[in-house]
Amino acid sequence: MGTTTPSTSERILDAALTSFGERGYEPTSLDALAVRLEVRKQTILYWYPSKEALLDAVIDRSAAELSEALEASLASAGTGWARVEAVVRSVFRLAVRRPELLGLAREMGRLGAPAATRFIGALEPLVERAAKFLRSEMDAGHMRRHEPRLLLLAIYSSVIGMITEVDVLRAMGEEPTARSLVKRRAEILEFLRSALVTDTG
């Protein structure tokens, strides 16, 4: 069974995602994207009438891909702490397989509204489910009492921060090994477990 060739619009989104995630939104120009894609700038503008429209499309597709990956990891996870662990493992897998996705997530935090608002809004159903799960675990006494959304933000920041460290190493010319990534993942899981799980959890 052969692979399908990405459409022009998909190729544009892929190139924009990579550039926004690696270089940032402002430093990315449509002219540079056109050169990279070997198309005319007018081709990009045919599909996405402005740089802002292109960013919106990249955000929507990336949030959907991120949600899909996290939902898939949760579908096969157990209960309680196993679900938190499944999400962290999934994010680390994405960091290796699709670093540009997490680069975009970091860039959204830097850009602020309206881009960050759009990104968070697209992930809202997943965030609400996660907050509901954390509340139920706290009510059952399995996890320490915290404000669920604030806790999710702390977890997100911890995991993204750890992955950013990996990106910094790459930028300095030191390619992280599978062993170093596994070590970092184990460290963040141990940190989160000690911060969240009660003796009865």
Side-chain angles (χ1 to χ4, degrees):
M1 191 165 126
T3 58
T4 58
T5 304
S7 67
T8 300
S9 63
E10 288 172 330
R11 288 181 60 234
I12 293 168
L13 288 177
D14 285 340
L17 169 60
T18 299
S19 189
F20 294 160
E22 290 177 355
R23 301 185 66 231
Y25 174 70
E26 284 97 352
T28 296
S29 73
L30 296 185
D31 290 310
L33 282 178
V35 169
R36 181 175 181 175
L37 290 162
E38 298 179 345
V39 299
R40 295 183 308 125
K41 180 179 175 180
Q42 286 71 20
T43 302
I44 296 174
L45 292 171
Y46 169 80
W47 291 100
Y48 307 100
S50 66
K51 187 177 170 184
E52 292 78 14
L54 177 58
L55 176 63
D56 286 347
V58 167
I59 289 171
D60 292 345
R61 192 181 72 162
S62 299
E65 185 178 344
L66 188 55
S67 290
E68 190 178 304
L70 296 178
E71 292 282 5
S73 71
L74 288 171
S76 58
T79 58
W81 168 252
R83 295 180 75 76
V84 176
E85 188 173 9
V87 167
V88 172
R89 289 179 182 277
S90 178
V91 172
F92 267 82
R93 279 194 299 273
L94 275 174
V96 173
R97 188 172 53 85
R98 296 277 280 155
E100 60 274 20
L101 271 181
L102 298 179
L104 180 72
R106 282 194 309 275
E107 180 66 357
M108 292 305 94
R110 194 192 65 73
L111 283 174
T117 305
R118 186 181 187 97
F119 188 68
I120 291 164
L123 293 173
E124 180 58 29
L126 191 63
V127 170
E128 185 49 44
R129 276 187 55 209
K132 186 177 177 182
F133 157 72
L134 289 171
R135 268 188 224 102
S136 68
E137 289 295 301
M138 291 172 198
D139 290 344
H142 300 153
M143 290 189 185
R144 292 182 175 84
R145 183 69 61 184
H146 300 281
E147 201 290 308
R149 283 179 174 264
L150 189 59
L151 182 57
L152 285 171
L153 180 61
I155 292 170
Y156 168 83
S157 300
S158 299
V159 173
I160 294 296
M162 188 72 78
I163 291 165
T164 302
E165 182 186 334
V166 171
D167 285 346
V168 169
L169 288 174
R170 282 195 177 115
M172 292 169 54
E174 182 184 329
E175 188 60 32
T177 63
R179 177 176 288 179
S180 69
L181 288 173
V182 168
K183 183 175 182 288
R184 279 177 170 77
R185 188 181 67 195
E187 287 168 354
I188 197 70
L189 283 169
E190 181 55 36
F191 167 73
L192 291 173
R193 187 180 181 93
S194 64
L196 294 177
V197 179
T198 64
D199 293 338
T200 60

